[in-house]
Amino acid sequence: MKILVVDDFSTMRRIIKNLLRDLGFNNTAEADDGLTALPMLQAGNFDLLITDWNMPGMQGIDLLKAVRADPKLAKMPVMMVTAEQKKEQIIEAAKAGVNGYIVKPFTAATLKEKLEKIFERVG
Amino acid sequence: MADTPLILTDEFKQHVRELAKFVEEGDVEETDRILDKIARLRESTLFQELGKLTREFHNALNSFRLDSRIVSMTEQDFPDARERLRYVVQMTAQSADRSLTAAEEAMPIVSNIEDQAKSLESQWGRFMQRDMSAEEFRQLSSELGGFLGELSSSSEKLKERMTEVVMAQDFQDLTGQIIERVITLVDDMERSLVDLIRISGQNMATQEVVGGEKEKTKEDHLKGVGPAVPGVDEASGLVSGQDEVDDLLSSLGF
């Protein structure tokens, strides 16, 4: 299971990576915004994308849309972990095909629960 | 009274009536006298006007002083505040890094203790049930001795890491003070701007300045704005936590 963690704050990436390691996911990579993440996704065999929303360069929502528009990546599960908590944003993310939405600050238990839900669905 | 036009004052009307009478009667002397009076009246109105002008000039000077305060704010205080806030970002990032590093270092130490303890526990269980040879017990005793020694040195290391996490929180005091200063600056700026508007912009006060903001939010609602700050961002249209996110998504069929 290879996971790409996209957030412009390195501390948040570290926190997510640590939580993922605790959950048994050791194969992770990092990107600091959508523009760096997209080529990584296209080049590597990632199984899951965890992305922030508010980032310079390319925002998380645009990254999600780009992933869904790319036939090679379209089916990849995408989880948003973000401080954005406007209802219209959550609806927009849902419309764009997000698989999970976690608002910051979040707990390890929430991350675990949402990941399990995603894998359950994806099978 | 000061605003009543000269020609509408009772005094002026009285003079004009008298003037008409004296002119009619051909009284040159009296006519001259009345004309003098009217001229003096005009002079005093002139002084009043001058007084008004002086006051306006004084106000304008005051507002200019406020202006220069705003100029100094924009030239010095705000760049200064920007640097301060950058410093806050830097310090909080540093602190988070220190804490994370300490936790990452502590994790394998704890995992190691956990693994050894589990293995020793199961062997100990076998010993208690007398399901262990003398040779195995000798092995277990030496492992236990080694584990206890390691436990004390591991505890030492863990304590160090925890102290590091505690020490990494020292930023709060400093960033708190810096942020307080910036808040004071923003307060000052707000007050100066309000004063300036009150003094120089009375006529503009009624002009529409609403509308622009709304349009902007509508346009930008899909752009990320960062975390909602309690008491600053309006609560409507926001979810208040993970539970509400889950509810919203499940209402959308998720």
Side-chain angles (χ1 to χ4, degrees), chain B residues 210-230:
Chain B
V210 204
E213 179 64 22
K214 278 234 168 86
E215 219 140 89
K216 192 169 153 268
T217 16
K218 202 174 174 189
E219 189 180 289
D220 286 356
H221 84 268
L222 290 180
K223 276 201 186 145
V225 290
V229 180

Side-chain angles (χ1 to χ4, degrees), chain A residues 14 18 84-85 87 101 103, chain B residues 97 104 225-226 237 239 242 246:
Chain A
R14 274 180 82 175
N18 272 302
E84 303 301 325
Q85 49 197 79
K87 282 178 186 157
Y101 198 105
V103 285
Chain B
D97 266 340
E104 282 170 2
V225 290
V239 294
Q242 189 63 41
D246 294 347

Side-chain angles (χ1 to χ4, degrees), chain A residues 22-120:
Chain A
D22 274 357
L23 295 173
F25 303 106
N26 292 304
N27 194 1
T28 50
E30 301 176 31
D32 59 4
D33 83 327
L35 289 177
T36 42
L38 197 55
M40 287 174 80
L41 289 167
Q42 283 160 344
N45 297 314
F46 287 98
D47 304 293
L48 172 70
L49 167 65
I50 297 180
T51 181
D52 184 23
W53 184 308
N54 187 20
M55 295 178 290
M58 187 194 238
Q59 304 225 14
I61 186 72
D62 299 322
L63 177 62
L64 170 62
K65 286 174 184 168
V67 164
R68 290 289 172 256
D70 184 322
K72 259 178 71 190
L73 302 173
K75 293 214 167 113
M76 178 186 294
V78 178
M79 171 133 79
M80 291 206 114
V81 178
T82 171
E84 303 301 325
Q85 49 197 79
K86 281 199 211 121
K87 282 178 186 157
E88 28 188 19
Q89 288 178 307
I90 299 164
I91 294 167
E92 177 73 12
K95 274 192 208 152
V98 82
N99 301 82
Y101 198 105
I102 296 178
V103 285
K104 296 174 190 170
F106 62 100
T107 62
T110 306
L111 183 67
K112 183 167 185 266
E113 183 200 325
K114 302 302 166 201
L115 280 174
E116 278 167 358
K117 225 173 182 177
I118 287 180
F119 295 138
E120 214 172 87

